[in-house]
Each structure stands twice: as structure tokens, then as C-alpha cells.
Amino acid sequence: MSSTPQATAAPAATAAPATVRAPATVAPGSAAAASGSGRERLPIELCKGINGLDKIVLREVRGSSAEVYLYGGHVTSWKNDHGEELLFLSSKAIFKPPKAIRGGIPICFPQFSNHGSLEQHGFARNRIWSIDNDPPPFPTSTSAKAFVDLILKPTEEDLKIWPHSFEFRLRISLSPAGDLMLTSRIRNTNADGKPFTFTFAYHTYFSVSDISEVRVEGLETLDYLDNLQNKERFTEQGDAITFEAEVDKIYLGTPTKIAILDHEKKRTFVLRKDGLPDAVVWNPWEKKAKAMADFGDEEYKHMLCVEAAAVEKPITLKPGEEWRGRQELSAVPSSYCSGQLDPRRVLLGS
Ligand code: TA6
């Protein structure tokens, strides 16, 4: 249901998109020019998006695609090979710093939510990232040929509010099957020997047909902190999670796989995560939806946030140390009743 932002959207893309085989400065045949698998990378498209903000488009040969804004290192679109949008983006999203873009996949760093002294969800989501022209070798072998490496380092202003030097490398990639992977590598580059501590989330907005028809599997019987009850700790009941009111829960120590079943669309999102022990589930429902200026009153019916996160146990890095947090999203056609994809089998299977 997400539709291209209209209200405050500035004119559509102006400058003709530039197609880049690999970042200009990367020597053909070098590690960066090749995907982890050594096979040639697919071209990435650099263009102007809403309000003239720089946008990167990744396309996979079978037709799936993803769009990423350098503003926030923010994925705003992920389409399957039928061109169907899989992420929710509010029709009222504001593409103007310092407001974070409402929808897609905001990156919450170095602070999740208001668990600390910084602004809500930290500052990475409202900073301008750069294309990482010469990233260190990618830690894992991957078949993805459509990918882009982004990098964020603190500005002088950032150091005043969070006095730590870091390098945040983010690889966004599309697999041949159209799965969307986000891999974050955060390194402490403090020269003063000081460690730093942070919390983190991929604040993913999934597009769903009707929230009242959605079930989440994989979080049953887990403990969670309820953000609507002063972060009090509770234990989830045994069945799949369904939605009939506002929800804002941080599930602790979850399995590495979570399934989001959209019954009406016969589609199951499978979220696989690594280095991110927690998962946040959020839907603002009616009242909060009306209170958010950059969110349509009815849009809560067509989105669900399920966020791979590290919140309960903040991550501490000494100088020179690096943390990695990865999420992989797949959207599989599912016909729940035909058992083609029984989520329990998905969660237990490979
Ligand atoms: O991830 C859930 C949450 O922390 C909720 O409490 C709600 O505030 C949501 O994020 C959206 O936050 P935002 O700062 O983007 O309005």
C-alpha cells in the first residue's frame, strides 16, 4: 500500500541517472570491482531522488531492485522480480534533513530509541553517507553481484554530541534470488584508547496487505520489554503474534530467523539475522498514526516494523575492534494453507 511520497515530495528525479559499473576509482578486476564471489559486479545507478537527494539503484538481472539514499544510508525501496514493492514507505515521508525518512530501513545507531542521551534512534539515519570506494575485503563470500558499499564517519559536530571516532561500513546487496542483505561493520577508531558502547537496529518497515491478517512466527514464549508499559519485562504467549492494537515490544534473545506471514498476499517475509540478538516489533496503530505528521492516518494498516536489533546488551568496542551486524530479508510466495511454506518448517529448516 505504500505509495511514492506525494505531499511534501519535491519534483521527481531531475538529473539523468549515471550508471557506474563500480565506484569510479575502483580498478576493474580489483577486489572491490568484483563481488565477493570474484564474479563481475553488476552496474549501480547513481541518480537524484526526491528533493535532489543522492540515490543509488541496485538491479538484479532477474528483475529485483533496491533503492538507497545516501541520506541516512537509507534503503527506501526493495522490489521483487515482479516489480512489487516489499517495503513500506509513507506517502507523507519527509525527504529533508534532519528529519528521518518514514519507512524503508532506517539505521538506528549509535543509540536505539531513547535509551540514552542522544536524539531518538541516534544520528546515523539523518547524516549524509558516502560511497565507500575502497572497502576492506568483504568478510564473507557472497553470490550477490548487485551491491554498494557505503561509509559513515563522525563529523566535528557529531564528535561534540558523541565523542567517539568510528568507521561505519554498510554493504547493501541483492542476491540473484532477490534477497536483500544489509551488513554493517562498525570499527572503533578512537586514537585516545577509549572504548565506546552503542545499541543498534535495522528499523525495517515491511509492506503488508492488512495488519489484522498478519502473523509473526519465531517470537513465541520469549521475554520482551514493553515500551508501552515503561519497558517492563513480560513473557510472550505461545502462539504466533497477531495484531489488533498498538504494539511496541523489544523481544530479547530471539532465534536468528523470524517469519512474517501476510496471509492475504500469500507472502512470507523471512528475516535472518546475525550479531543482532533482539527484535523490535512496532505498529503505531490508529491514535499514534494520527499524531505523526509524516505518516498517513490509515497507513498503520499496511505496515509492520520488525527490527533486527542489539538493545538489551549494548555493544562495547575497544579501539581497533570491529562489530558486524547482518540482516537478510527474503520474500517467499506462501500459501499457508497449502503448507507450501509452513513457517515452523521455515524457522526450523535451513
Ligand atoms: O522501533 C520502535 C520505536 O522505537 C517506537 O517506539 C516508535 O517511536 C518508532 O520507533 C518510531 O520512531 P521514530 O523516531 O522514527 O518516530
mmCIF file of all heavy atoms in Angstrom, residues 221-245:
data_model
loop_
_atom_site.group_PDB
_atom_site.id
_atom_site.type_symbol
_atom_site.label_atom_id
_atom_site.label_comp_id
_atom_site.label_asym_id
_atom_site.label_seq_id
_atom_site.Cartn_x
_atom_site.Cartn_y
_atom_site.Cartn_z
ATOM 1 N N THR A 221 6.776 -17.319 23.205
ATOM 2 C CA THR A 221 7.297 -17.673 24.552
ATOM 3 C C THR A 221 8.552 -16.891 24.947
ATOM 4 O O THR A 221 9.164 -17.194 25.968
ATOM 5 C CB THR A 221 7.633 -19.186 24.630
ATOM 6 O OG1 THR A 221 8.816 -19.420 23.862
ATOM 7 C CG2 THR A 221 6.513 -20.071 24.160
ATOM 8 N N LEU A 222 8.955 -15.893 24.162
ATOM 9 C CA LEU A 222 10.160 -15.126 24.512
ATOM 10 C C LEU A 222 9.834 -14.006 25.494
ATOM 11 O O LEU A 222 8.697 -13.519 25.550
ATOM 12 C CB LEU A 222 10.764 -14.507 23.246
ATOM 13 C CG LEU A 222 11.364 -15.459 22.218
ATOM 14 C CD1 LEU A 222 11.899 -14.681 21.032
ATOM 15 C CD2 LEU A 222 12.467 -16.301 22.834
ATOM 16 N N ASP A 223 10.830 -13.565 26.242
ATOM 17 C CA ASP A 223 10.670 -12.373 27.075
ATOM 18 C C ASP A 223 10.789 -11.134 26.205
ATOM 19 O O ASP A 223 11.502 -11.151 25.203
ATOM 20 C CB ASP A 223 11.763 -12.330 28.168
ATOM 21 C CG ASP A 223 11.422 -13.250 29.322
ATOM 22 O OD1 ASP A 223 10.412 -13.982 29.203
ATOM 23 O OD2 ASP A 223 12.150 -13.244 30.325
ATOM 24 N N TYR A 224 10.069 -10.079 26.607
ATOM 25 C CA TYR A 224 10.168 -8.820 25.883
ATOM 26 C C TYR A 224 10.012 -7.649 26.838
ATOM 27 O O TYR A 224 9.462 -7.789 27.934
ATOM 28 C CB TYR A 224 9.110 -8.734 24.785
ATOM 29 C CG TYR A 224 7.678 -8.742 25.252
ATOM 30 C CD1 TYR A 224 7.028 -7.567 25.597
ATOM 31 C CD2 TYR A 224 6.969 -9.937 25.349
ATOM 32 C CE1 TYR A 224 5.713 -7.569 26.036
ATOM 33 C CE2 TYR A 224 5.649 -9.957 25.790
ATOM 34 C CZ TYR A 224 5.028 -8.774 26.134
ATOM 35 O OH TYR A 224 3.730 -8.790 26.582
ATOM 36 N N LEU A 225 10.542 -6.495 26.413
ATOM 37 C CA LEU A 225 10.361 -5.251 27.160
ATOM 38 C C LEU A 225 9.247 -4.498 26.451
ATOM 39 O O LEU A 225 9.293 -4.313 25.231
ATOM 40 C CB LEU A 225 11.655 -4.431 27.158
ATOM 41 C CG LEU A 225 12.920 -5.151 27.633
ATOM 42 C CD1 LEU A 225 14.125 -4.218 27.525
ATOM 43 C CD2 LEU A 225 12.752 -5.665 29.059
ATOM 44 N N ASP A 226 8.218 -4.125 27.213
ATOM 45 C CA ASP A 226 7.082 -3.444 26.589
ATOM 46 C C ASP A 226 7.267 -1.937 26.686
ATOM 47 O O ASP A 226 7.195 -1.355 27.774
ATOM 48 C CB ASP A 226 5.766 -3.860 27.263
ATOM 49 C CG ASP A 226 4.570 -3.422 26.425
ATOM 50 O OD1 ASP A 226 4.728 -2.455 25.646
ATOM 51 O OD2 ASP A 226 3.504 -4.056 26.550
ATOM 52 N N ASN A 227 7.501 -1.312 25.544
ATOM 53 C CA ASN A 227 7.736 0.134 25.505
ATOM 54 C C ASN A 227 6.491 0.931 25.873
ATOM 55 O O ASN A 227 6.564 2.103 26.177
ATOM 56 C CB ASN A 227 8.182 0.502 24.086
ATOM 57 C CG ASN A 227 9.347 1.477 24.110
ATOM 58 O OD1 ASN A 227 9.968 1.663 25.154
ATOM 59 N ND2 ASN A 227 9.597 2.098 22.982
ATOM 60 N N LEU A 228 5.340 0.253 25.844
ATOM 61 C CA LEU A 228 4.087 0.929 26.207
ATOM 62 C C LEU A 228 3.806 0.793 27.703
ATOM 63 O O LEU A 228 2.831 1.333 28.219
ATOM 64 C CB LEU A 228 2.931 0.347 25.389
ATOM 65 C CG LEU A 228 3.090 0.410 23.871
ATOM 66 C CD1 LEU A 228 1.911 -0.232 23.172
ATOM 67 C CD2 LEU A 228 3.306 1.844 23.405
ATOM 68 N N GLN A 229 4.663 0.006 28.378
ATOM 69 C CA GLN A 229 4.494 -0.150 29.838
ATOM 70 C C GLN A 229 5.849 0.046 30.529
ATOM 71 O O GLN A 229 6.357 -0.876 31.194
ATOM 72 C CB GLN A 229 3.899 -1.533 30.133
ATOM 73 C CG GLN A 229 2.538 -1.761 29.486
ATOM 74 C CD GLN A 229 1.899 -3.059 29.964
ATOM 75 O OE1 GLN A 229 1.643 -3.212 31.160
ATOM 76 N NE2 GLN A 229 1.689 -3.984 29.039
ATOM 77 N N ASN A 230 6.428 1.267 30.258
ATOM 78 C CA ASN A 230 7.708 1.606 30.920
ATOM 79 C C ASN A 230 8.773 0.522 30.771
ATOM 80 O O ASN A 230 9.507 0.224 31.733
ATOM 81 C CB ASN A 230 7.482 1.852 32.423
ATOM 82 C CG ASN A 230 6.482 2.964 32.621
ATOM 83 O OD1 ASN A 230 6.519 3.949 31.871
ATOM 84 N ND2 ASN A 230 5.558 2.768 33.540
ATOM 85 N N LYS A 231 8.813 -0.084 29.639
ATOM 86 C CA LYS A 231 9.825 -1.100 29.331
ATOM 87 C C LYS A 231 9.810 -2.252 30.338
ATOM 88 O O LYS A 231 10.819 -2.931 30.558
ATOM 89 C CB LYS A 231 11.215 -0.465 29.265
ATOM 90 C CG LYS A 231 11.326 0.602 28.169
ATOM 91 C CD LYS A 231 12.739 1.098 28.000
ATOM 92 C CE LYS A 231 12.847 2.142 26.916
ATOM 93 N NZ LYS A 231 12.049 3.373 27.152
ATOM 94 N N GLU A 232 8.626 -2.483 30.944
ATOM 95 C CA GLU A 232 8.522 -3.614 31.872
ATOM 96 C C GLU A 232 8.717 -4.927 31.103
ATOM 97 O O GLU A 232 8.419 -4.987 29.893
ATOM 98 C CB GLU A 232 7.140 -3.586 32.530
ATOM 99 C CG GLU A 232 7.139 -4.010 34.004
ATOM 100 C CD GLU A 232 5.714 -3.977 34.546
ATOM 101 O OE1 GLU A 232 5.082 -2.907 34.387
ATOM 102 O OE2 GLU A 232 5.253 -5.036 35.028
ATOM 103 N N ARG A 233 9.237 -5.938 31.809
ATOM 104 C CA ARG A 233 9.556 -7.209 31.151
ATOM 105 C C ARG A 233 8.396 -8.187 31.287
ATOM 106 O O ARG A 233 7.849 -8.375 32.378
ATOM 107 C CB ARG A 233 10.812 -7.793 31.787
ATOM 108 C CG ARG A 233 11.408 -8.973 31.042
ATOM 109 C CD ARG A 233 12.710 -9.408 31.713
ATOM 110 N NE ARG A 233 13.334 -10.490 30.960
ATOM 111 C CZ ARG A 233 14.597 -10.466 30.521
ATOM 112 N NH1 ARG A 233 15.344 -9.408 30.762
ATOM 113 N NH2 ARG A 233 15.111 -11.484 29.859
ATOM 114 N N PHE A 234 8.025 -8.801 30.177
ATOM 115 C CA PHE A 234 6.926 -9.784 30.168
ATOM 116 C C PHE A 234 7.390 -11.003 29.356
ATOM 117 O O PHE A 234 8.451 -10.974 28.743
ATOM 118 C CB PHE A 234 5.681 -9.183 29.486
ATOM 119 C CG PHE A 234 5.098 -7.995 30.202
ATOM 120 C CD1 PHE A 234 5.511 -6.707 29.877
ATOM 121 C CD2 PHE A 234 4.150 -8.174 31.198
ATOM 122 C CE1 PHE A 234 4.977 -5.606 30.515
ATOM 123 C CE2 PHE A 234 3.604 -7.072 31.849
ATOM 124 C CZ PHE A 234 4.021 -5.787 31.516
ATOM 125 N N THR A 235 6.577 -12.041 29.369
ATOM 126 C CA THR A 235 6.860 -13.217 28.538
ATOM 127 C C THR A 235 5.728 -13.392 27.526
ATOM 128 O O THR A 235 4.551 -13.326 27.909
ATOM 129 C CB THR A 235 6.985 -14.471 29.423
ATOM 130 O OG1 THR A 235 8.013 -14.227 30.394
ATOM 131 C CG2 THR A 235 7.349 -15.694 28.595
ATOM 132 N N GLU A 236 6.081 -13.579 26.260
ATOM 133 C CA GLU A 236 5.078 -13.711 25.195
ATOM 134 C C GLU A 236 4.348 -15.048 25.298
ATOM 135 O O GLU A 236 4.942 -16.055 25.728
ATOM 136 C CB GLU A 236 5.781 -13.616 23.832
ATOM 137 C CG GLU A 236 4.871 -13.485 22.624
ATOM 138 C CD GLU A 236 3.926 -12.299 22.716
ATOM 139 O OE1 GLU A 236 4.331 -11.164 22.477
ATOM 140 O OE2 GLU A 236 2.756 -12.521 23.106
ATOM 141 N N GLN A 237 3.082 -15.048 24.887
ATOM 142 C CA GLN A 237 2.307 -16.301 24.948
ATOM 143 C C GLN A 237 2.803 -17.231 23.843
ATOM 144 O O GLN A 237 3.659 -16.874 23.055
ATOM 145 C CB GLN A 237 0.807 -16.007 24.833
ATOM 146 C CG GLN A 237 0.450 -14.868 23.877
ATOM 147 C CD GLN A 237 0.457 -15.313 22.420
ATOM 148 O OE1 GLN A 237 0.184 -16.477 22.144
ATOM 149 N NE2 GLN A 237 0.816 -14.427 21.508
ATOM 150 N N GLY A 238 2.250 -18.404 23.790
ATOM 151 C CA GLY A 238 2.821 -19.473 22.971
ATOM 152 C C GLY A 238 2.518 -19.424 21.487
ATOM 153 O O GLY A 238 3.204 -20.031 20.698
ATOM 154 N N ASP A 239 1.514 -18.652 21.096
ATOM 155 C CA ASP A 239 1.141 -18.712 19.688
ATOM 156 C C ASP A 239 1.800 -17.615 18.869
ATOM 157 O O ASP A 239 2.416 -16.708 19.399
ATOM 158 C CB ASP A 239 -0.387 -18.535 19.553
ATOM 159 C CG ASP A 239 -1.087 -19.724 20.191
ATOM 160 O OD1 ASP A 239 -0.487 -20.819 20.131
ATOM 161 O OD2 ASP A 239 -2.159 -19.531 20.786
ATOM 162 N N ALA A 240 1.612 -17.724 17.564
ATOM 163 C CA ALA A 240 2.115 -16.675 16.663
ATOM 164 C C ALA A 240 1.539 -15.342 17.106
ATOM 165 O O ALA A 240 0.471 -15.282 17.711
ATOM 166 C CB ALA A 240 1.672 -16.972 15.239
ATOM 167 N N ILE A 241 2.270 -14.277 16.834
ATOM 168 C CA ILE A 241 1.820 -12.944 17.232
ATOM 169 C C ILE A 241 0.914 -12.374 16.155
ATOM 170 O O ILE A 241 1.243 -12.427 14.957
ATOM 171 C CB ILE A 241 3.049 -12.048 17.462
ATOM 172 C CG1 ILE A 241 3.885 -12.635 18.603
ATOM 173 C CG2 ILE A 241 2.653 -10.607 17.751
ATOM 174 C CD1 ILE A 241 5.268 -12.110 18.674
ATOM 175 N N THR A 242 -0.233 -11.854 16.578
ATOM 176 C CA THR A 242 -1.155 -11.184 15.652
ATOM 177 C C THR A 242 -1.391 -9.774 16.179
ATOM 178 O O THR A 242 -0.937 -9.436 17.283
ATOM 179 C CB THR A 242 -2.487 -11.958 15.579
ATOM 180 O OG1 THR A 242 -2.963 -12.130 16.926
ATOM 181 C CG2 THR A 242 -2.293 -13.320 14.922
ATOM 182 N N PHE A 243 -2.098 -8.940 15.407
ATOM 183 C CA PHE A 243 -2.160 -7.509 15.711
ATOM 184 C C PHE A 243 -3.594 -6.980 15.722
ATOM 185 O O PHE A 243 -4.323 -7.158 14.759
ATOM 186 C CB PHE A 243 -1.300 -6.758 14.692
ATOM 187 C CG PHE A 243 0.118 -7.259 14.691
ATOM 188 C CD1 PHE A 243 0.511 -8.294 13.853
ATOM 189 C CD2 PHE A 243 1.035 -6.751 15.598
ATOM 190 C CE1 PHE A 243 1.807 -8.807 13.900
ATOM 191 C CE2 PHE A 243 2.328 -7.245 15.648
ATOM 192 C CZ PHE A 243 2.718 -8.280 14.804
ATOM 193 N N GLU A 244 -3.938 -6.341 16.847
ATOM 194 C CA GLU A 244 -5.260 -5.705 16.928
ATOM 195 C C GLU A 244 -5.182 -4.387 17.699
ATOM 196 O O GLU A 244 -6.200 -3.786 18.013
ATOM 197 C CB GLU A 244 -6.263 -6.653 17.591
ATOM 198 C CG GLU A 244 -5.796 -7.161 18.930
ATOM 199 C CD GLU A 244 -6.460 -8.489 19.294
ATOM 200 O OE1 GLU A 244 -6.850 -9.246 18.392
ATOM 201 O OE2 GLU A 244 -6.588 -8.715 20.513
ATOM 202 N N ALA A 245 -3.970 -3.950 18.020
ATOM 203 C CA ALA A 245 -3.787 -2.667 18.727
ATOM 204 C C ALA A 245 -2.325 -2.239 18.594
ATOM 205 O O ALA A 245 -1.504 -2.996 18.060
ATOM 206 C CB ALA A 245 -4.140 -2.835 20.206
#
